[in-house]
Amino acid sequence: MTEHDTRSAAERNRAQQQTGEEPAERAASADQRHDDGAQVSTGKETAGAPEAAIPELVIISGMSGAGRSTAAKCLEDLGWFVVDNLPPALIPTMVELGARSQGNVARIAVVVDVRGRRFFDNLRESLADLDARGVTRRIVFLESSDEALVRRFESVRRPHPLQGDGRIVDGIAAERELLRELRGDADLVIDTSSLNVHELRAKMDAQFAGEEEPELRATVMSFGYKYGLPVDADLVVDCRFLPNPHWVPELRPYTGLNEEVSGYVFNQPGAKEFLDRYTELLQLVAAGYRREGKRYVTIAVGCTGGKHRSVAMSEKLAGRLAAEGVETVVVHRDMGRE
């Protein structure tokens, strides 16, 4: 060791004695500081240090061709920081980087799909990690019928990412099976089978454009059983136990939005009682959804054609929910299809 090295070591020792700080402690302190001033959690938070704000997170997933890109673009237009096709294992890292942005990245949307199927098995582990960190996260799942998906892939002349040497329907079936569990965990399911781009954007705007997120949002959707069940419904109600205004000639041309049709429906035995009892049930369900952190619910109200009974009942039910403080949107899926 040279004389210069000996003096340097002695000077370092004197500095450590004056500060009372061990080399390992100084290294840990240095690790906590970055040139941008951001603070990174090391498991030992310094007393009085500001806590990093954890960004809000939305995970967009669903069937290929169902509109994931449109949904992501809508959130991007609303000011969200959007990352497409991020491997699920990197989602917690993305959230941590957002937390270090000093509030510049407050809302993050991540698109996860089967293009990253090698990493898809990590999604469950990443979601558990986010929950452990207390991250507010929501899953938006884009759904569509097989017929609509086949039509869309054929129109753009592109293969399904999972079809391999098979047909498009083979790829769709494989993807549905792969995403089955994630769909069950989704906070919001949007069926885009009959939606165009503008209608999908309107649905996303309705859910995410507000300045403040309500405790619970409800979509009350009337539908006709002869056109099939809504695939994005959380709860389904059957109004076919009531007499059908279709068989009353003077009411047949009108819909459940007409006062005479609505009056006819609710003058039938059991109609008002059903509305009262189901409203009470929804109050119980809504309280449970809030406790579980579920922010969106779709209630489907059906009759034969989706024109009279289900429309009238949906309007009344939506009014009851709104009176209970639930932000409610009414959609009449099949009205006008006959």
Side-chain angles (χ1 to χ4, degrees), residues 75-217:
L75 290 184
E76 189 174 40
D77 292 342
L78 292 174
W80 290 66
F81 185 87
V82 178
V83 183
D84 190 15
N85 198 25
L86 184 72
L90 296 181
I91 295 177
T93 303
M94 189 72 234
V95 172
E96 183 178 354
L97 291 174
R100 290 166 48 186
S101 69
Q102 299 180 339
N104 293 322
V105 180
R107 298 182 298 177
I108 299 174
V110 176
V111 181
V112 177
D113 56 61
V114 293
R115 287 177 294 169
R117 54 189 177 275
R118 290 181 302 168
F119 309 98
F120 205 81
D121 292 339
N122 301 95
L123 181 58
R124 179 66 54 189
E125 182 179 344
S126 295
L127 293 178
D129 187 5
L130 294 170
D131 291 339
R133 298 186 187 195
V135 177
T136 300
R137 52 94 172 168
R138 288 168 288 171
I139 300 175
V140 176
F141 192 95
L142 281 299
E143 174 68 276
S144 194
S145 67
D146 287 3
E147 294 79 7
L149 294 175
V150 169
R151 187 168 58 250
R152 291 168 188 172
F153 276 105
E154 288 181 343
S155 67
V156 296
R157 299 181 180 180
R158 293 179 58 190
H160 188 281
L162 293 185
Q163 77 178 74
D165 295 330
R167 300 176 300 162
I168 292 177
V169 291
D170 298 326
I172 292 173
E175 186 176 34
R176 283 199 192 282
E177 184 60 31
L178 180 64
L179 298 177
R180 187 180 303 279
E181 188 174 355
L182 180 62
R183 187 191 188 284
D185 291 338
D187 299 282
L188 176 63
V189 178
I190 301 178
D191 179 17
T192 67
S193 301
S194 58
L195 300 181
N196 59 36
V197 172
H198 305 292
E199 290 169 333
L200 175 55
R201 290 183 66 91
K203 279 184 171 287
M204 292 294 294
D205 284 340
Q207 300 294 345
F208 294 99
E211 288 293 329
E212 297 181 359
E213 283 293 320
E215 289 189 354
L216 183 66
R217 292 180 186 266

Side-chain angles (χ1 to χ4, degrees), residues 27-42:
S29 299
D31 287 342
Q32 291 178 342
R33 293 188 294 271
H34 292 259
D35 293 338
D36 58 2
Q39 181 175 343
V40 182
S41 175
T42 60

Side-chain angles (χ1 to χ4, degrees), residues 242-262:
L242 297 171
N244 193 347
H246 176 80
W247 304 115
V248 180
E250 58 269 27
L251 298 180
R252 182 179 300 177
Y254 301 105
T255 71
L257 299 177
N258 179 270
E259 291 185 5
E260 293 183 4
V261 173
S262 181

Side-chain angles (χ1 to χ4, degrees), residues 61 192 251 280 307:
S61 191
T192 67
L251 298 180
E280 293 176 0
K307 178 180 179 180

Side-chain angles (χ1 to χ4, degrees), residues 310-322:
S310 63
V311 172
M313 187 65 71
S314 294
E315 291 289 332
K316 293 289 187 181
L317 186 59
R320 294 285 187 90
L321 291 174

